[in-house]
Amino acid sequence: MAEKNTDATAGRKTTEPAKRSRAAKKKQRNPWVGRTLIGAVLLAILLPLGAFLAAYVMVDVPEPEELPTPQVSQIMASDSSTELARIVPPEGNRRQVSVEEIPDYVKNAVLAAEDREFYTNPGFSITGFTRAVIGQITGDASAGGGSTITQQYVKKTLVGDEHSYVRKARELVYSVKMTNEWSKDEILGAYLNTVYFGRNAYGVEAAAQAYFNKPVTELGPDEAAVLAASIQLPSQLEPWTNPEAAQARWSYVLDGMVEIGTLGAEERAALDYPETRDPATVSAYTEATGPNGLIKNQVMTELASVGITEDEVNTRGLIVTTTIDPEVQAATVEAVNANMEGQNDNLRTAAVSMEPDTGAVRGYYGGEDATGWDYANAGLQTGSTFKIFGLAAALQQGIPLSTLYDSGPVTIPGGITISNVGGGSCGYCSIGEALKFSHNTSFIRLQQDLENETQDTADMAHALGMATSLPGIPETLTENGDLPYEGIILGQYQSRPLDMSIALATLANEGVWHQPHFVERVETGSGEVLYEFQGQEGERRVSEAVANNLMYAMQPIADYSGGALDGGRISASKTGTTQLGDTGYNRDAWMVGTTPQLATSVWVGTEDNTPIFTPWGGNMYGAGLPTDIWKDILDDSLVDEPIEYFPDPEPINWGNGLSVSNGNAYVPPPVIYNPAPVAPVAPAPAPSESEEVAPAPEESLAPAPAPAPAPAPPETGGGNPAPEDDGGGGDEGGIEIAPGLVIPEIEIPALP
């Protein structure tokens, strides 16, 4: 036992020195541990601080004006007050206002809701930031956020909203530096123009309209608190779907305003929750409706062409003043709607009106679908409206209106015989008379006598305003780069209603072309002018004599077609119709015409190239529905305008040494052409369907025409009560047009 105890004691004796040794060593190590801990703490502080300082030096905070904010641009009519469309950026509806324009009530309500220490904090809240970090570490969303107004703005515009420590650190750096470099008012103004308020409204101006249908400058404290209350959870605090929560948050905001001293307690007690707009009536994202959507597309294309980028449109809150006259546009839409009522559902129409002496587009209708196919900008066969370009080329080469041409059937290369509708003929009659009756045969012969035949018709059309290329057609009015076929003068090739108005405007302006345009002026919301259309003197495309003679020849046609304008107003016009292959049915119908003040073209067709019929099943012609629309547009657009007249044409003397060609040379008149003014002719009453339609009496366009048989009455088009013009398209008499022949039938692909 004793030995055991001794051994135990000995064991203890050997253990104690060891303990003392370990304690000594531990004591020796303690300073290093402490120093290490202190160093770790210092590193934990100094490294982030150093990183913060390095980042602070490296980051570059843009100047306020260098940080664009997506906002709505407006497209206005020429009166600068009628809104045609909005260009809404992807982020939504926003209209920038200066911080000075924002009432104090609105600013103070937002501060009470979002950042009551805004004017005293360094860009972030230390306590709030700490809570946010703890929340990130623990995953406890209830720990609370810490974003000041400055941080919210930085997150929205500079660093994004990714959930990460790196993003939060960048947000902190930018917020502190922005606070040091921007004034507090600049930050608050930028924030108020950026923050989302619900109802698709970004910024206080859009929000004021969305909730109260008034500008922000007119908001009171009760309304300001509604907007401020919505910032936290816009969807969940919508007054119409969650009124209790919305009003609770509203009360919190007002009480906060009292707390920070920006609203008196008595004034607060007297406030009731204001009535807000029905959200269903708010259309912040409606860019344009109906025909205005197609106008918007034209405007956007033109803005790009003058160097105004899509980014500028989306971020600078542009106000684009267009050439569209609200009265002409209203007259156009009303004329289309009134005349299309009761028509077959598959019919479509286009109408374009242009001011001759400026090139300004005053009215534009390409269809009712704001995002659909634009028929006013579509390539379409033009029918006999194209005869005016062949006649203009002839006039320029010295062939006067009084020149006599055989109107009997004519055979062209390839063995194709062309005749007139119903076999009509005026014998040898003046080309001016043939234009009124729209005799295809006379114009085929006229074109054969041009120096370069079909190419001259194409060149004249291009000179007057026809587009030289169209989508899918690199070169217009040509046969794959070669000479056009003979059918060009009968409207075989495609042109746009917009082009027809350009050409008519050039002719009405005595041969001077002006740049067609939709945009008059572009300025930013702050008033900086980015672009202004500079009125040009124009370019002479044909001589005054050619233009004025052509206007003279076209003056009787509106009367003859049942489209005489009200009050005896003078016009120069031409109808046209194209046939659908050899079906005997029509596909396109046109009326193009001009007064000295306004040039208007109207097309009627279908979206799928099916036949166009009247409501009672007859073929439709240019002298029918298109003429009715055309007349109503001009009558209503010009109702308050004085009647103006085209200049008297100077004589064009026959004979410039052209050689006889194909045995169809023009016949010189017995006297030099010297026209007298044409008096307006009242339209005759429309005949019944069973009656034949005889041409309305008119003054002869030839001084002394050779004796000729009376012209055959044109057909009534299967019940169409208006006199018919040609079928156009080079297929006047039901001629079969086959591939490889001189005038092939051109089918326009179905439009989308």
Side-chain angles (χ1 to χ4, degrees), residues 105-127:
Y105 281 132
V106 176
K107 290 184 278 192
N108 291 329
V110 171
L111 294 179
E114 297 298 313
D115 188 357
R116 297 181 185 183
E117 299 176 350
F118 170 74
Y119 277 101
T120 58
N121 66 44
F124 71 99
S125 167
I126 296 176
T127 56

Side-chain angles (χ1 to χ4, degrees), residues 114 178 265 364 436 445 508 565 657 698 743 750:
E114 297 298 313
M178 180 175 287
Y364 191 88
K436 184 178 106 172
R445 290 184 168 100
L565 299 181
E698 68 158 350
I743 310 179

Side-chain angles (χ1 to χ4, degrees), residues 144-158:
S147 292
T148 62
I149 279 176
T150 308
Q151 287 175 277
Q152 291 181 48
Y153 178 67
V154 165
K155 179 170 67 175
K156 185 67 177 174
T157 59
L158 291 174

Side-chain angles (χ1 to χ4, degrees), residues 78 323-335 351-355 360-365 597-600 632-634 636-639 641:
S78 60
T323 59
I324 299 296
D325 185 320
E327 293 184 4
V328 175
Q329 184 65 15
T332 300
V333 174
E334 184 177 346
V352 181
S353 294
M354 181 172 290
E355 194 170 71
V361 178
R362 297 302 186 191
Y364 191 88
Y365 182 96
Q597 299 108 310
L598 204 62
T600 300
D632 287 349
I633 290 172
L634 287 173
D636 292 344
S637 297
L638 301 175
V639 63
E641 299 296 324

Side-chain angles (χ1 to χ4, degrees), residues 12 49 120 298 314 335 368 386 438 445 460 480 568 579 644 651 662 669 676:
R12 285 196 297 273
L49 181 60
T120 58
Q298 290 284 349
N314 284 332
E368 283 295 325
F386 227 75
S438 203
R445 290 184 168 100
M460 177 58 70
N480 298 320
Q579 291 185 340
E644 295 184 10
N662 301 318

Side-chain angles (χ1 to χ4, degrees), residues 163-179:
H163 291 287
S164 71
Y165 300 114
V166 173
R167 194 276 302 167
K168 196 68 178 176
R170 293 181 67 236
E171 176 189 303
L172 180 63
V173 173
Y174 271 105
S175 298
V176 173
K177 193 161 187 177
M178 180 175 287
T179 301

Side-chain angles (χ1 to χ4, degrees), residues 233-556:
L233 296 168
S235 298
Q236 298 177 34
L237 297 174
E238 165 56 51
W240 279 67
T241 58
N242 194 356
E244 292 183 1
Q247 292 185 30
R249 180 68 177 172
W250 176 79
S251 296
Y252 168 80
V253 172
L254 290 176
D255 291 342
M257 293 175 70
V258 174
E259 181 180 324
I260 62 178
T262 57
L263 182 68
E266 292 183 2
E267 187 178 4
R268 157 70 182 96
L271 295 177
D272 293 320
Y273 195 88
E275 182 179 353
T276 61
R277 289 178 67 183
D278 182 349
T281 67
V282 180
S283 56
Y285 275 99
T286 301
E287 296 191 12
T289 59
N292 289 352
L294 305 179
I295 294 174
K296 186 207 77 170
N297 294 342
Q298 290 284 349
V299 169
M300 290 295 289
T301 300
E302 193 166 317
L303 290 178
S305 72
V306 299
I308 296 177
T309 66
E310 185 176 354
D311 183 64
E312 288 179 292
V313 173
N314 284 332
T315 61
R316 303 197 66 179
L318 304 184
I319 300 172
V320 182
T321 302
T322 70
T323 59
I324 299 296
D325 185 320
E327 293 184 4
V328 175
Q329 184 65 15
T332 300
V333 174
E334 184 177 346
V336 168
N337 291 339
N339 286 282
M340 292 293 281
E341 185 175 355
Q343 300 289 336
N344 295 322
D345 292 339
N346 68 332
L347 290 186
R348 300 292 181 267
T349 189
V352 181
S353 294
M354 181 172 290
E355 194 170 71
D357 58 355
T358 64
V361 178
R362 297 302 186 191
Y364 191 88
Y365 182 96
E368 283 295 325
D369 187 350
T371 59
W373 188 261
D374 185 352
Y375 294 97
N377 198 43
L380 303 159
Q381 285 185 318
T382 55
S384 284
T385 61
F386 227 75
K387 289 172 181 171
I388 62 177
F389 303 119
L391 182 52
L395 289 166
Q396 184 159 284
Q397 294 181 22
I399 305 175
L401 295 176
S402 55
T403 306
L404 304 180
Y405 275 94
D406 182 3
S407 63
V410 59
T411 300
I412 61 176
I416 301 172
T417 299
I418 295 178
S419 59
N420 299 318
V421 170
S425 171
C426 60
Y428 270 87
C429 61
S430 71
I431 196 64
E433 188 108 347
L435 180 70
K436 184 178 106 172
F437 298 140
S438 203
H439 286 329
N440 288 350
T441 55
S442 300
F443 279 86
I444 289 292
R445 290 184 168 100
L446 173 71
Q447 185 172 250
Q448 290 173 341
D449 284 332
L450 299 178
E451 291 181 2
N452 301 292
E453 301 192 22
T454 60
Q455 190 60 52
D456 287 343
T457 302
D459 290 346
M460 177 58 70
H462 283 146
L464 292 175
M466 295 295 104
T468 56
S469 65
L470 293 172
I473 307 177
E475 296 181 72
T476 62
L477 308 182
T478 181
E479 198 57 40
N480 298 320
D482 293 330
L483 288 176
Y485 287 127
E486 275 81 352
I488 185 174
I489 202 168
L490 306 181
Q492 174 181 345
Y493 295 99
Q494 297 180 37
S495 292
R496 303 173 298 177
L498 175 61
D499 297 334
M500 295 302 297
S501 292
I502 296 169
L504 287 166
T506 303
L507 291 166
N509 196 41
E510 298 190 80
V512 175
W513 173 92
H514 282 276
Q515 176 66 50
H517 62 286
F518 285 81
V519 179
E520 287 286 2
R521 181 183 175 91
V522 182
E523 56 189 312
T524 66
S526 61
E528 178 188 357
V529 177
L530 299 183
Y531 170 79
E532 190 162 13
F533 183 81
Q534 300 298 319
Q536 303 169 341
E537 294 183 1
E539 300 175 10
R540 176 157 299 285
R541 297 298 178 85
V542 293
S543 69
E544 293 180 12
V546 169
N548 294 340
N549 272 269
L550 191 54
M551 293 292 93
Y552 176 85
M554 294 167 65
Q555 285 183 38

